[in-house]
Amino acid sequence: DGGAGTIIDGFVGASTTIDASSGRLAISRLRAVYQPIITIGDNSEPVNMVLARLSDKDGNLLPAGRFLSTLEKRGWLPDLDKWVFEHSHKLLTQETDINQPLTLVIHVSPQSLSNAIYMTTVLTLLHEQPMPSPKQRLIIAIAESAVITHRNMVDQLKQVLLPAGADLMITQYGSSSSSTSLVQQIHPAFVRLDDALCRRLEQAEYLASDQILITAAEAQQAIIVASGIESASSLSGLWAKGIRWFQGYFVHEPETKPTIN
C-alpha cells in the first residue's frame, strides 16, 4: 500500500531487500514480531500471533505484504513457515518458564502442507519435544480453503498436535459452504472469522446464515477471533454479537516481544 520507505505497521523499508540472484531464502535476515490477540471479556492467558518480517541492509523490518508474493513465486514459503515454526517452538519449549502462560499462533501456507521437509520437521519436533506444560500452547493456523484441499495433512497434524500440547486454528472461517461441517469435524481451538463475515457481523442485525456459523463454532468451544479491526464502531458491533477476542492494528500493533502476563 505504499512505496519504498513508507511506514507500514510501525516499520519502514524497501522491497529491494530480496536479492534477485539469491537461490534461497535469507534465513539470517528473518525476524519475528508478535501481535496480541486480546480479549476484553476477562483476564485470559496471553495469546500472540507470530508475524514474519524481513530485515533489509539498513536494519528496517519489512512487513510480510512486501515480500510474501516474491517468496511464493520462488517456492520459498515452506522455508519461511519452517523458520517460523522452529522459532516459535523453541521459544515455548526452551525459552519460556514452565509457569509462564503463553500461547503462540503461527500460520502455515498450503504450499507447506504439501512440503515433505516442512511436515517432517513439524511432526518430528512436536513428537520429540512437546510443550513443557499446559501453560504453553502452539497453535497452527490454516486457512479454511487449505483445510479442505489438504485434509489428509491437516488430520495428520491434528493427531500429533493434541498430545504435544498444541492445536489448530481455522482462519477465513465462514468463507465456504463447508465451514460448519469443518469446525464440527476438526474441533479447532480457535477460528478466525473471514473478513467478509466480520464486516457483516459489524452491522446491527444477524443474517440467519451467519448466526449458524457462530453457533457452530461456539458449540465446539472454539475461541472466535475477529481480525482487521479498524475502528471502535466495528469492535462494538462484533461485541454485540458475542465476539470477545480481537486482532488488528486498531486493537494492538505488533511488538518485538510476545505479550505475557
Side-chain angles (χ1 to χ4, degrees):
D1 295 329
T6 300
I7 296 177
I8 301 177
D9 56 305
F11 303 103
V12 298
S15 57
T16 54
T17 295
I18 300 174
D19 184 357
S21 63
S22 173
R24 59 182 297 179
L25 175 62
I27 297 294
S28 63
R29 294 158 74 177
L30 289 175
R31 305 288 185 269
V33 295
Y34 308 87
Q35 186 175 49
I37 300 175
I38 66 168
T39 178
I40 310 174
D42 54 39
N43 295 318
S44 294
E45 295 177 352
V47 179
N48 294 263
M49 178 74 74
V50 183
L51 306 174
R53 298 289 183 261
L54 192 66
S55 175
D56 68 12
K57 59 183 177 61
D58 297 318
N60 299 310
L61 298 182
L62 299 178
R66 299 296 297 276
F67 62 85
L68 273 185
S69 61
T70 302
L71 268 57
E72 183 175 8
K73 291 176 183 177
R74 298 182 184 181
W76 293 347
L77 286 184
D79 295 326
L80 176 64
D81 289 344
K82 180 174 175 288
W83 179 85
V84 172
F85 174 83
E86 290 173 332
H87 167 85
S88 303
H89 180 270
K90 182 179 180 181
L91 179 57
L92 288 170
T93 59
Q94 300 180 35
E95 300 176 3
T96 301
D97 187 279
I98 61 172
N99 295 313
Q100 179 65 61
L102 180 61
T103 295
L104 296 181
V105 181
I106 62 173
H107 290 284
V108 59
S109 66
Q111 293 89 334
S112 297
L113 292 172
S114 300
N115 183 275
I117 295 176
Y118 174 83
M119 289 295 293
T120 299
T121 299
V122 171
L123 297 175
T124 301
L125 273 179
L126 288 175
H127 176 72
E128 295 180 350
Q129 299 181 53
M131 298 300 105
S133 87
K135 292 182 178 293
Q136 288 85 43
R137 287 198 303 167
L138 181 60
I139 306 296
I140 295 183
I142 306 175
E144 186 171 283
S145 58
V147 175
I148 295 171
T149 57
H150 295 74
R151 182 59 185 274
N152 289 338
M153 297 302 184
V154 173
D155 288 342
Q156 285 185 42
L157 275 176
K158 185 73 176 183
Q159 292 176 11
V160 175
L161 288 171
L162 292 180
D167 214 321
L168 290 175
M169 168 190 276
I170 296 177
T171 65
Q172 300 174 11
Y173 176 70
S175 61
S176 77
S177 59
S178 302
S179 300
T180 55
S181 61
L182 284 178
V183 78
Q184 291 164 354
Q185 295 164 11
I186 300 295
H187 307 290
F190 293 80
V191 297
R192 193 172 72 177
L193 304 178
D194 182 62
D195 288 345
L197 176 56
C198 273
R199 302 294 81 82
R200 294 197 301 270
L201 291 175
E202 292 172 3
Q203 307 307 311
E205 300 294 334
Y206 265 120
L207 294 176
S209 57
D210 292 342
Q211 176 69 71
I212 291 172
L213 291 169
I214 298 303
T215 301
E218 291 174 340
Q220 301 303 320
Q221 299 183 322
I223 292 176
I224 302 172
V225 179
S227 62
I229 308 303
E230 301 293 344
S231 67
S233 61
S234 63
L235 189 149
S236 63
L238 290 157
W239 178 272
K241 305 301 189 303
I243 309 300
R244 294 293 181 266
W245 289 79
F246 304 94
Q247 177 190 9
Y249 295 102
F250 174 82
V251 177
H252 215 301
E253 290 193 0
E255 301 175 342
T256 56
K257 294 183 180 180
T259 298
I260 59 176
N261 286 341

